[in-house]
mmCIF file of all heavy atoms in Angstrom:
data_model
loop_
_atom_site.group_PDB
_atom_site.id
_atom_site.type_symbol
_atom_site.label_atom_id
_atom_site.label_comp_id
_atom_site.label_asym_id
_atom_site.label_seq_id
_atom_site.Cartn_x
_atom_site.Cartn_y
_atom_site.Cartn_z
ATOM 1 N N TRP A 160 11.453 -25.226 -21.138
ATOM 2 C CA TRP A 160 10.761 -26.109 -22.089
ATOM 3 C C TRP A 160 10.853 -27.620 -21.638
ATOM 4 O O TRP A 160 9.933 -28.312 -21.689
ATOM 5 C CB TRP A 160 11.345 -25.860 -23.552
ATOM 6 C CG TRP A 160 10.500 -26.716 -24.474
ATOM 7 C CD1 TRP A 160 9.276 -26.396 -24.989
ATOM 8 C CD2 TRP A 160 10.975 -27.876 -25.200
ATOM 9 N NE1 TRP A 160 8.949 -27.367 -25.929
ATOM 10 C CE2 TRP A 160 9.947 -28.216 -26.033
ATOM 11 C CE3 TRP A 160 12.149 -28.689 -25.097
ATOM 12 C CZ2 TRP A 160 10.062 -29.409 -26.906
ATOM 13 C CZ3 TRP A 160 12.261 -29.681 -25.820
ATOM 14 C CH2 TRP A 160 11.206 -30.221 -26.714
ATOM 15 N N TYR A 163 8.831 -28.448 -18.257
ATOM 16 C CA TYR A 163 7.349 -28.324 -18.281
ATOM 17 C C TYR A 163 6.642 -28.788 -19.586
ATOM 18 O O TYR A 163 5.413 -28.784 -19.477
ATOM 19 C CB TYR A 163 6.971 -26.872 -17.977
ATOM 20 C CG TYR A 163 7.532 -26.393 -16.582
ATOM 21 C CD1 TYR A 163 8.469 -25.378 -16.422
ATOM 22 C CD2 TYR A 163 7.115 -27.177 -15.445
ATOM 23 C CE1 TYR A 163 9.008 -25.098 -15.216
ATOM 24 C CE2 TYR A 163 7.693 -26.759 -14.202
ATOM 25 C CZ TYR A 163 8.614 -25.723 -14.077
ATOM 26 O OH TYR A 163 9.185 -25.523 -12.848
ATOM 27 N N ARG A 164 7.392 -29.008 -20.587
ATOM 28 C CA ARG A 164 6.766 -29.353 -21.815
ATOM 29 C C ARG A 164 7.198 -30.723 -22.400
ATOM 30 O O ARG A 164 6.579 -31.078 -23.439
ATOM 31 C CB ARG A 164 7.070 -28.245 -22.895
ATOM 32 C CG ARG A 164 6.273 -26.955 -22.613
ATOM 33 C CD ARG A 164 4.886 -27.029 -22.814
ATOM 34 N NE ARG A 164 4.143 -25.805 -22.548
ATOM 35 C CZ ARG A 164 3.615 -25.467 -21.275
ATOM 36 N NH1 ARG A 164 3.818 -26.302 -20.195
ATOM 37 N NH2 ARG A 164 3.162 -24.392 -21.016
ATOM 38 N N THR A 165 8.170 -31.425 -21.861
ATOM 39 C CA THR A 165 8.570 -32.619 -22.426
ATOM 40 C C THR A 165 8.258 -33.791 -21.453
ATOM 41 O O THR A 165 8.168 -33.558 -20.199
ATOM 42 C CB THR A 165 10.116 -32.668 -22.758
ATOM 43 O OG1 THR A 165 10.858 -32.655 -21.561
ATOM 44 C CG2 THR A 165 10.419 -31.531 -23.513
ATOM 45 N N ARG A 166 8.275 -35.037 -22.022
ATOM 46 C CA ARG A 166 8.007 -36.240 -21.274
ATOM 47 C C ARG A 166 9.265 -36.491 -20.411
ATOM 48 O O ARG A 166 9.099 -36.817 -19.160
ATOM 49 C CB ARG A 166 7.866 -37.344 -22.209
ATOM 50 C CG ARG A 166 6.916 -38.455 -21.825
ATOM 51 C CD ARG A 166 6.786 -39.385 -23.032
ATOM 52 N NE ARG A 166 5.826 -38.905 -23.932
ATOM 53 C CZ ARG A 166 4.415 -39.062 -23.812
ATOM 54 N NH1 ARG A 166 4.013 -39.735 -22.670
ATOM 55 N NH2 ARG A 166 3.617 -38.576 -24.508
ATOM 56 N N LEU A 169 9.266 -34.240 -17.267
ATOM 57 C CA LEU A 169 8.420 -34.660 -16.360
ATOM 58 C C LEU A 169 8.953 -35.814 -15.517
ATOM 59 O O LEU A 169 8.881 -35.865 -14.260
ATOM 60 C CB LEU A 169 6.919 -35.018 -16.865
ATOM 61 C CG LEU A 169 5.883 -35.401 -15.911
ATOM 62 C CD1 LEU A 169 5.654 -34.261 -14.938
ATOM 63 C CD2 LEU A 169 4.596 -35.714 -16.626
ATOM 64 N N ASN A 170 9.474 -36.744 -16.194
ATOM 65 C CA ASN A 170 10.241 -37.825 -15.598
ATOM 66 C C ASN A 170 11.343 -37.346 -14.600
ATOM 67 O O ASN A 170 11.562 -37.942 -13.461
ATOM 68 C CB ASN A 170 10.850 -38.819 -16.543
ATOM 69 C CG ASN A 170 9.785 -39.529 -17.387
ATOM 70 O OD1 ASN A 170 8.454 -39.341 -17.192
ATOM 71 N ND2 ASN A 170 10.090 -40.287 -18.372
ATOM 72 N N GLN A 172 11.471 -34.598 -13.049
ATOM 73 C CA GLN A 172 10.924 -34.025 -11.833
ATOM 74 C C GLN A 172 10.384 -35.161 -10.861
ATOM 75 O O GLN A 172 10.623 -35.037 -9.666
ATOM 76 C CB GLN A 172 9.769 -33.117 -12.292
ATOM 77 C CG GLN A 172 10.186 -31.853 -13.074
ATOM 78 C CD GLN A 172 9.120 -30.866 -13.109
ATOM 79 O OE1 GLN A 172 8.517 -30.380 -12.101
ATOM 80 N NE2 GLN A 172 8.761 -30.586 -14.330
ATOM 81 N N GLY A 173 9.871 -36.141 -11.550
ATOM 82 C CA GLY A 173 9.355 -37.336 -10.734
ATOM 83 C C GLY A 173 10.540 -37.924 -10.016
ATOM 84 O O GLY A 173 10.400 -38.335 -8.812
ATOM 85 N N GLU A 176 11.240 -35.968 -7.082
ATOM 86 C CA GLU A 176 10.189 -35.752 -6.043
ATOM 87 C C GLU A 176 9.917 -36.989 -5.244
ATOM 88 O O GLU A 176 9.843 -37.040 -4.119
ATOM 89 C CB GLU A 176 8.883 -35.379 -6.888
ATOM 90 C CG GLU A 176 7.735 -35.111 -5.945
ATOM 91 C CD GLU A 176 7.958 -34.021 -5.045
ATOM 92 O OE1 GLU A 176 8.657 -33.031 -5.372
ATOM 93 O OE2 GLU A 176 7.392 -34.045 -3.864
ATOM 94 N N ARG A 177 9.896 -38.168 -6.034
ATOM 95 C CA ARG A 177 9.561 -39.511 -5.304
ATOM 96 C C ARG A 177 10.123 -40.593 -6.101
ATOM 97 O O ARG A 177 9.526 -41.149 -6.976
ATOM 98 C CB ARG A 177 8.094 -39.661 -5.229
ATOM 99 C CG ARG A 177 7.681 -40.725 -4.255
ATOM 100 C CD ARG A 177 6.172 -40.594 -3.944
ATOM 101 N NE ARG A 177 5.924 -41.511 -2.846
ATOM 102 C CZ ARG A 177 4.736 -41.870 -2.372
ATOM 103 N NH1 ARG A 177 3.600 -41.105 -2.786
ATOM 104 N NH2 ARG A 177 4.568 -42.783 -1.465
ATOM 105 N N GLU A 179 10.975 -43.660 -5.547
ATOM 106 C CA GLU A 179 10.263 -45.044 -5.674
ATOM 107 C C GLU A 179 9.063 -44.896 -6.583
ATOM 108 O O GLU A 179 8.898 -45.975 -7.340
ATOM 109 C CB GLU A 179 9.647 -45.411 -4.330
ATOM 110 C CG GLU A 179 10.454 -45.086 -2.998
ATOM 111 C CD GLU A 179 10.213 -43.614 -2.594
ATOM 112 O OE1 GLU A 179 9.165 -43.298 -2.398
ATOM 113 O OE2 GLU A 179 11.191 -42.877 -2.727
ATOM 114 N N GLY A 180 8.363 -43.919 -6.675
ATOM 115 C CA GLY A 180 7.263 -43.755 -7.546
ATOM 116 C C GLY A 180 7.736 -43.734 -9.085
ATOM 117 O O GLY A 180 7.182 -44.410 -9.788
ATOM 118 N N ALA A 181 8.757 -42.989 -9.186
ATOM 119 C CA ALA A 181 9.354 -42.991 -10.616
ATOM 120 C C ALA A 181 9.779 -44.424 -11.036
ATOM 121 O O ALA A 181 9.618 -44.859 -12.117
ATOM 122 C CB ALA A 181 10.520 -41.987 -10.723
ATOM 123 N N PHE A 182 10.506 -45.052 -10.119
ATOM 124 C CA PHE A 182 11.015 -46.335 -10.376
ATOM 125 C C PHE A 182 9.916 -47.388 -10.659
ATOM 126 O O PHE A 182 10.039 -48.134 -11.602
ATOM 127 C CB PHE A 182 11.832 -46.912 -9.180
ATOM 128 C CG PHE A 182 12.348 -48.308 -9.217
ATOM 129 C CD1 PHE A 182 13.454 -48.469 -10.201
ATOM 130 C CD2 PHE A 182 11.948 -49.402 -8.659
ATOM 131 C CE1 PHE A 182 13.924 -49.731 -10.289
ATOM 132 C CE2 PHE A 182 12.328 -50.677 -8.871
ATOM 133 C CZ PHE A 182 13.402 -50.883 -9.590
ATOM 134 N N ALA A 183 8.901 -47.307 -9.871
ATOM 135 C CA ALA A 183 7.646 -48.116 -10.049
ATOM 136 C C ALA A 183 7.004 -47.905 -11.473
ATOM 137 O O ALA A 183 6.251 -48.728 -12.000
ATOM 138 C CB ALA A 183 6.651 -47.956 -9.016
ATOM 139 N N ARG A 184 7.322 -46.742 -12.004
ATOM 140 C CA ARG A 184 6.838 -46.461 -13.250
ATOM 141 C C ARG A 184 7.714 -46.830 -14.468
ATOM 142 O O ARG A 184 7.525 -46.397 -15.626
ATOM 143 C CB ARG A 184 6.414 -45.002 -13.508
ATOM 144 C CG ARG A 184 5.149 -44.659 -12.674
ATOM 145 C CD ARG A 184 4.911 -43.237 -12.318
ATOM 146 N NE ARG A 184 3.848 -43.059 -11.406
ATOM 147 C CZ ARG A 184 2.784 -42.342 -11.638
ATOM 148 N NH1 ARG A 184 2.733 -41.697 -12.636
ATOM 149 N NH2 ARG A 184 1.840 -42.232 -10.688
ATOM 150 N N GLY A 185 8.867 -47.494 -13.996
ATOM 151 C CA GLY A 185 9.807 -48.036 -15.077
ATOM 152 C C GLY A 185 10.884 -46.975 -15.478
ATOM 153 O O GLY A 185 11.550 -47.169 -16.480
ATOM 154 N N ILE A 186 11.080 -45.898 -14.652
ATOM 155 C CA ILE A 186 12.109 -44.928 -14.921
ATOM 156 C C ILE A 186 13.449 -45.374 -14.267
ATOM 157 O O ILE A 186 13.361 -45.855 -13.026
ATOM 158 C CB ILE A 186 11.622 -43.583 -14.494
ATOM 159 C CG1 ILE A 186 10.360 -43.055 -15.159
ATOM 160 C CG2 ILE A 186 12.781 -42.579 -14.551
ATOM 161 C CD1 ILE A 186 9.760 -41.879 -14.641
ATOM 162 N N ARG A 303 -0.393 -19.696 -7.509
ATOM 163 C CA ARG A 303 0.471 -20.587 -6.718
ATOM 164 C C ARG A 303 1.695 -21.158 -7.586
ATOM 165 O O ARG A 303 2.735 -21.217 -7.195
ATOM 166 C CB ARG A 303 -0.364 -21.821 -6.203
ATOM 167 C CG ARG A 303 0.527 -22.911 -5.472
ATOM 168 C CD ARG A 303 -0.389 -23.827 -4.868
ATOM 169 N NE ARG A 303 -1.235 -24.469 -5.771
ATOM 170 C CZ ARG A 303 -2.374 -25.170 -5.426
ATOM 171 N NH1 ARG A 303 -2.764 -25.351 -4.232
ATOM 172 N NH2 ARG A 303 -3.158 -25.725 -6.362
ATOM 173 N N GLU A 309 8.756 -25.171 -3.836
ATOM 174 C CA GLU A 309 8.895 -26.330 -3.027
ATOM 175 C C GLU A 309 10.070 -27.149 -3.517
ATOM 176 O O GLU A 309 10.256 -27.360 -4.680
ATOM 177 C CB GLU A 309 7.605 -27.183 -3.169
ATOM 178 C CG GLU A 309 7.029 -27.591 -1.737
ATOM 179 C CD GLU A 309 5.696 -28.333 -2.167
ATOM 180 O OE1 GLU A 309 4.802 -27.800 -2.843
ATOM 181 O OE2 GLU A 309 5.515 -29.404 -1.500
ATOM 182 N N ARG A 320 16.623 -49.685 -4.629
ATOM 183 C CA ARG A 320 15.332 -50.323 -4.653
ATOM 184 C C ARG A 320 14.946 -51.252 -3.435
ATOM 185 O O ARG A 320 13.857 -51.585 -3.279
ATOM 186 C CB ARG A 320 15.243 -51.104 -6.017
ATOM 187 C CG ARG A 320 15.972 -52.305 -6.068
ATOM 188 C CD ARG A 320 16.357 -52.703 -7.435
ATOM 189 N NE ARG A 320 15.137 -53.335 -8.007
ATOM 190 C CZ ARG A 320 15.312 -53.968 -9.211
ATOM 191 N NH1 ARG A 320 16.352 -54.162 -9.854
ATOM 192 N NH2 ARG A 320 14.177 -54.558 -9.699
ATOM 193 N N GLU A 321 15.943 -51.744 -2.643
ATOM 194 C CA GLU A 321 15.566 -52.547 -1.477
ATOM 195 C C GLU A 321 16.581 -52.370 -0.336
ATOM 196 O O GLU A 321 17.693 -51.752 -0.595
ATOM 197 C CB GLU A 321 15.428 -53.964 -1.883
ATOM 198 C CG GLU A 321 16.653 -54.573 -2.563
ATOM 199 C CD GLU A 321 16.430 -55.985 -3.228
ATOM 200 O OE1 GLU A 321 15.722 -56.007 -4.274
ATOM 201 O OE2 GLU A 321 16.829 -56.881 -2.661
ATOM 202 N N LYS B 28 12.856 -65.280 -1.783
ATOM 203 C CA LYS B 28 13.495 -63.980 -1.572
ATOM 204 C C LYS B 28 13.807 -63.778 -0.135
ATOM 205 O O LYS B 28 13.162 -63.866 0.795
ATOM 206 C CB LYS B 28 12.507 -62.826 -2.070
ATOM 207 C CG LYS B 28 12.975 -61.349 -1.852
ATOM 208 C CD LYS B 28 13.935 -60.987 -2.839
ATOM 209 C CE LYS B 28 14.459 -59.579 -2.593
ATOM 210 N NZ LYS B 28 15.451 -59.263 -3.413
ATOM 211 N N GLY B 68 8.122 -56.390 -10.570
ATOM 212 C CA GLY B 68 9.423 -55.977 -10.955
ATOM 213 C C GLY B 68 10.127 -55.035 -10.059
ATOM 214 O O GLY B 68 11.264 -54.678 -10.277
ATOM 215 N N PHE B 69 9.442 -54.788 -8.937
ATOM 216 C CA PHE B 69 10.076 -53.731 -8.039
ATOM 217 C C PHE B 69 11.277 -54.461 -7.277
ATOM 218 O O PHE B 69 12.352 -53.724 -7.159
ATOM 219 C CB PHE B 69 9.094 -53.349 -6.984
ATOM 220 C CG PHE B 69 9.301 -51.927 -6.459
ATOM 221 C CD1 PHE B 69 8.796 -50.838 -7.004
ATOM 222 C CD2 PHE B 69 10.097 -51.747 -5.337
ATOM 223 C CE1 PHE B 69 9.031 -49.551 -6.574
ATOM 224 C CE2 PHE B 69 10.337 -50.518 -4.809
ATOM 225 C CZ PHE B 69 9.813 -49.408 -5.512
ATOM 226 N N TYR B 70 11.108 -55.688 -6.955
ATOM 227 C CA TYR B 70 12.255 -56.373 -6.393
ATOM 228 C C TYR B 70 12.562 -57.575 -7.435
ATOM 229 O O TYR B 70 11.701 -58.039 -8.138
ATOM 230 C CB TYR B 70 11.896 -57.228 -5.029
ATOM 231 C CG TYR B 70 11.729 -56.351 -3.882
ATOM 232 C CD1 TYR B 70 11.045 -56.797 -2.717
ATOM 233 C CD2 TYR B 70 12.181 -54.959 -3.849
ATOM 234 C CE1 TYR B 70 10.906 -56.059 -1.645
ATOM 235 C CE2 TYR B 70 11.942 -54.175 -2.747
ATOM 236 C CZ TYR B 70 11.312 -54.741 -1.537
ATOM 237 O OH TYR B 70 11.127 -53.956 -0.485
ATOM 238 N N ARG B 87 13.116 -57.717 -14.513
ATOM 239 C CA ARG B 87 14.299 -57.069 -13.899
ATOM 240 C C ARG B 87 13.790 -55.712 -13.238
ATOM 241 O O ARG B 87 14.574 -55.259 -12.300
ATOM 242 C CB ARG B 87 15.481 -56.816 -14.905
ATOM 243 C CG ARG B 87 16.011 -58.106 -15.431
ATOM 244 C CD ARG B 87 17.510 -58.084 -14.945
ATOM 245 N NE ARG B 87 17.879 -59.527 -15.302
ATOM 246 C CZ ARG B 87 18.034 -60.018 -16.504
ATOM 247 N NH1 ARG B 87 17.765 -59.252 -17.614
ATOM 248 N NH2 ARG B 87 18.460 -61.282 -16.641
ATOM 249 N N PRO B 89 10.416 -52.642 -12.918
ATOM 250 C CA PRO B 89 8.941 -52.386 -13.168
ATOM 251 C C PRO B 89 8.627 -52.164 -14.682
ATOM 252 O O PRO B 89 7.502 -52.409 -15.068
ATOM 253 C CB PRO B 89 8.704 -51.125 -12.312
ATOM 254 C CG PRO B 89 9.610 -51.107 -11.158
ATOM 255 C CD PRO B 89 10.917 -51.713 -11.903
ATOM 256 N N ASP B 103 1.067 -47.708 -0.189
ATOM 257 C CA ASP B 103 0.826 -46.268 -0.084
ATOM 258 C C ASP B 103 0.869 -45.866 -1.561
ATOM 259 O O ASP B 103 2.034 -45.976 -2.183
ATOM 260 C CB ASP B 103 1.979 -45.703 0.823
ATOM 261 C CG ASP B 103 1.980 -44.251 0.697
ATOM 262 O OD1 ASP B 103 0.952 -43.676 0.430
ATOM 263 O OD2 ASP B 103 3.001 -43.632 1.119
ATOM 264 N N PRO B 104 -0.233 -45.355 -2.051
ATOM 265 C CA PRO B 104 -0.158 -45.059 -3.621
ATOM 266 C C PRO B 104 1.042 -44.259 -3.972
ATOM 267 O O PRO B 104 1.210 -43.153 -3.391
ATOM 268 C CB PRO B 104 -1.557 -44.221 -3.916
ATOM 269 C CG PRO B 104 -2.267 -44.820 -2.770
ATOM 270 C CD PRO B 104 -1.575 -45.037 -1.614
ATOM 271 N N VAL B 106 1.929 -41.849 -5.807
ATOM 272 C CA VAL B 106 1.661 -40.687 -6.628
ATOM 273 C C VAL B 106 2.648 -39.566 -6.175
ATOM 274 O O VAL B 106 3.344 -39.619 -5.194
ATOM 275 C CB VAL B 106 0.232 -40.211 -6.551
ATOM 276 C CG1 VAL B 106 -0.681 -41.192 -7.057
ATOM 277 C CG2 VAL B 106 -0.073 -39.827 -5.099
ATOM 278 N N PHE B 107 2.678 -38.464 -7.143
ATOM 279 C CA PHE B 107 3.559 -37.409 -6.870
ATOM 280 C C PHE B 107 2.792 -36.194 -6.341
ATOM 281 O O PHE B 107 1.967 -35.586 -7.017
ATOM 282 C CB PHE B 107 4.350 -37.112 -8.153
ATOM 283 C CG PHE B 107 5.204 -38.161 -8.661
ATOM 284 C CD1 PHE B 107 4.633 -39.133 -9.441
ATOM 285 C CD2 PHE B 107 6.437 -38.287 -8.357
ATOM 286 C CE1 PHE B 107 5.346 -40.307 -9.876
ATOM 287 C CE2 PHE B 107 7.272 -39.301 -8.699
ATOM 288 C CZ PHE B 107 6.764 -40.366 -9.435
ATOM 289 N N PRO B 109 2.926 -33.076 -5.181
ATOM 290 C CA PRO B 109 2.874 -31.684 -5.681
ATOM 291 C C PRO B 109 2.513 -31.564 -7.242
ATOM 292 O O PRO B 109 2.342 -30.521 -7.671
ATOM 293 C CB PRO B 109 4.275 -31.065 -5.459
ATOM 294 C CG PRO B 109 5.117 -32.056 -5.041
ATOM 295 C CD PRO B 109 4.342 -33.392 -5.079
ATOM 296 N N ASN B 115 0.510 -36.667 -13.020
ATOM 297 C CA ASN B 115 0.609 -37.992 -12.532
ATOM 298 C C ASN B 115 0.307 -39.091 -13.405
ATOM 299 O O ASN B 115 0.742 -40.173 -13.498
ATOM 300 C CB ASN B 115 -0.278 -38.046 -11.280
ATOM 301 C CG ASN B 115 0.514 -37.655 -9.929
ATOM 302 O OD1 ASN B 115 1.411 -38.533 -9.475
ATOM 303 N ND2 ASN B 115 0.331 -36.479 -9.481
ATOM 304 N N LEU B 118 3.112 -39.332 -16.197
ATOM 305 C CA LEU B 118 4.511 -39.617 -15.885
ATOM 306 C C LEU B 118 4.833 -41.076 -16.105
ATOM 307 O O LEU B 118 4.243 -41.913 -15.556
ATOM 308 C CB LEU B 118 4.726 -39.175 -14.419
ATOM 309 C CG LEU B 118 6.111 -38.682 -14.031
ATOM 310 C CD1 LEU B 118 6.104 -37.762 -12.816
ATOM 311 C CD2 LEU B 118 7.127 -39.775 -13.728
ATOM 312 N N GLY B 119 5.946 -41.195 -16.759
ATOM 313 C CA GLY B 119 6.463 -42.550 -17.062
ATOM 314 C C GLY B 119 5.932 -43.259 -18.142
ATOM 315 O O GLY B 119 6.416 -44.349 -18.554
ATOM 316 N N SER B 120 4.951 -42.600 -18.845
ATOM 317 C CA SER B 120 4.338 -43.352 -19.959
ATOM 318 C C SER B 120 5.100 -43.123 -21.197
ATOM 319 O O SER B 120 5.865 -42.165 -21.351
ATOM 320 C CB SER B 120 2.918 -42.724 -20.203
ATOM 321 O OG SER B 120 2.999 -41.408 -20.538
ATOM 322 N N GLY B 122 6.141 -42.444 -25.215
ATOM 323 C CA GLY B 122 5.621 -41.548 -26.132
ATOM 324 C C GLY B 122 6.728 -40.546 -26.680
ATOM 325 O O GLY B 122 7.925 -40.704 -26.205
ATOM 326 N N PRO B 123 6.261 -39.636 -27.537
ATOM 327 C CA PRO B 123 7.196 -38.789 -28.127
ATOM 328 C C PRO B 123 7.886 -37.729 -26.955
ATOM 329 O O PRO B 123 7.207 -37.626 -25.998
ATOM 330 C CB PRO B 123 6.510 -37.872 -29.276
ATOM 331 C CG PRO B 123 5.129 -38.095 -28.897
ATOM 332 C CD PRO B 123 5.010 -39.397 -28.218
ATOM 333 N N VAL B 124 8.972 -37.039 -27.347
ATOM 334 C CA VAL B 124 9.572 -36.191 -26.386
ATOM 335 C C VAL B 124 8.658 -35.106 -26.003
ATOM 336 O O VAL B 124 8.494 -34.908 -24.773
ATOM 337 C CB VAL B 124 10.807 -35.454 -27.118
ATOM 338 C CG1 VAL B 124 11.459 -34.464 -26.164
ATOM 339 C CG2 VAL B 124 11.835 -36.521 -27.437
ATOM 340 N N LEU B 126 5.553 -33.448 -24.733
ATOM 341 C CA LEU B 126 4.422 -33.930 -24.012
ATOM 342 C C LEU B 126 3.044 -33.281 -24.472
ATOM 343 O O LEU B 126 3.017 -32.098 -24.412
ATOM 344 C CB LEU B 126 4.601 -33.683 -22.579
ATOM 345 C CG LEU B 126 3.668 -34.267 -21.595
ATOM 346 C CD1 LEU B 126 3.718 -35.758 -21.618
ATOM 347 C CD2 LEU B 126 4.154 -33.983 -20.104
ATOM 348 N N ARG B 128 -0.268 -32.647 -23.651
ATOM 349 C CA ARG B 128 -1.064 -32.702 -22.500
ATOM 350 C C ARG B 128 -2.581 -32.677 -22.876
ATOM 351 O O ARG B 128 -3.360 -33.247 -22.196
ATOM 352 C CB ARG B 128 -0.863 -31.498 -21.620
ATOM 353 C CG ARG B 128 0.480 -31.612 -20.731
ATOM 354 C CD ARG B 128 0.447 -30.856 -19.402
ATOM 355 N NE ARG B 128 1.606 -31.133 -18.499
ATOM 356 C CZ ARG B 128 2.730 -30.706 -18.757
ATOM 357 N NH1 ARG B 128 3.046 -29.874 -19.719
ATOM 358 N NH2 ARG B 128 3.744 -31.028 -17.927
ATOM 359 N N ARG B 153 -1.881 -33.939 -4.144
ATOM 360 C CA ARG B 153 -1.986 -33.676 -2.700
ATOM 361 C C ARG B 153 -3.296 -33.558 -2.146
ATOM 362 O O ARG B 153 -3.681 -33.925 -1.149
ATOM 363 C CB ARG B 153 -1.072 -32.499 -2.426
ATOM 364 C CG ARG B 153 -1.450 -31.747 -1.091
ATOM 365 C CD ARG B 153 -0.368 -30.685 -0.788
ATOM 366 N NE ARG B 153 1.007 -31.225 -0.903
ATOM 367 C CZ ARG B 153 1.964 -30.550 -1.513
ATOM 368 N NH1 ARG B 153 1.748 -29.357 -2.180
ATOM 369 N NH2 ARG B 153 3.118 -31.126 -1.443
ATOM 370 N N GLU B 164 -4.441 -44.243 -9.908
ATOM 371 C CA GLU B 164 -3.426 -45.165 -10.352
ATOM 372 C C GLU B 164 -3.962 -46.387 -11.149
ATOM 373 O O GLU B 164 -3.422 -46.839 -12.026
ATOM 374 C CB GLU B 164 -2.735 -45.794 -9.053
ATOM 375 C CG GLU B 164 -1.684 -44.816 -8.321
ATOM 376 C CD GLU B 164 -0.306 -44.821 -9.191
ATOM 377 O OE1 GLU B 164 0.505 -45.695 -8.957
ATOM 378 O OE2 GLU B 164 -0.319 -43.874 -10.053
#
Side-chain angles (χ1 to χ4, degrees):
Chain A
W160 182 75
Y163 302 116
R164 290 291 179 267
T165 70
R166 214 171 278 277
L169 185 58
N170 292 355
Q172 295 188 60
E176 184 61 34
R177 196 165 182 183
E179 323 79 65
F182 179 70
R184 287 160 191 239
I186 297 169
R303 178 173 52 197
E309 231 173 310
R320 72 202 284 194
E321 50 191 78
Chain B
K28 174 79 185 174
F69 209 89
Y70 290 164
R87 291 244 170 69
D103 177 15
V106 296
F107 300 83
N115 267 286
L118 206 155
S120 65
V124 174
L126 189 55
R128 283 201 174 78
R153 157 172 309 133
E164 283 287 275

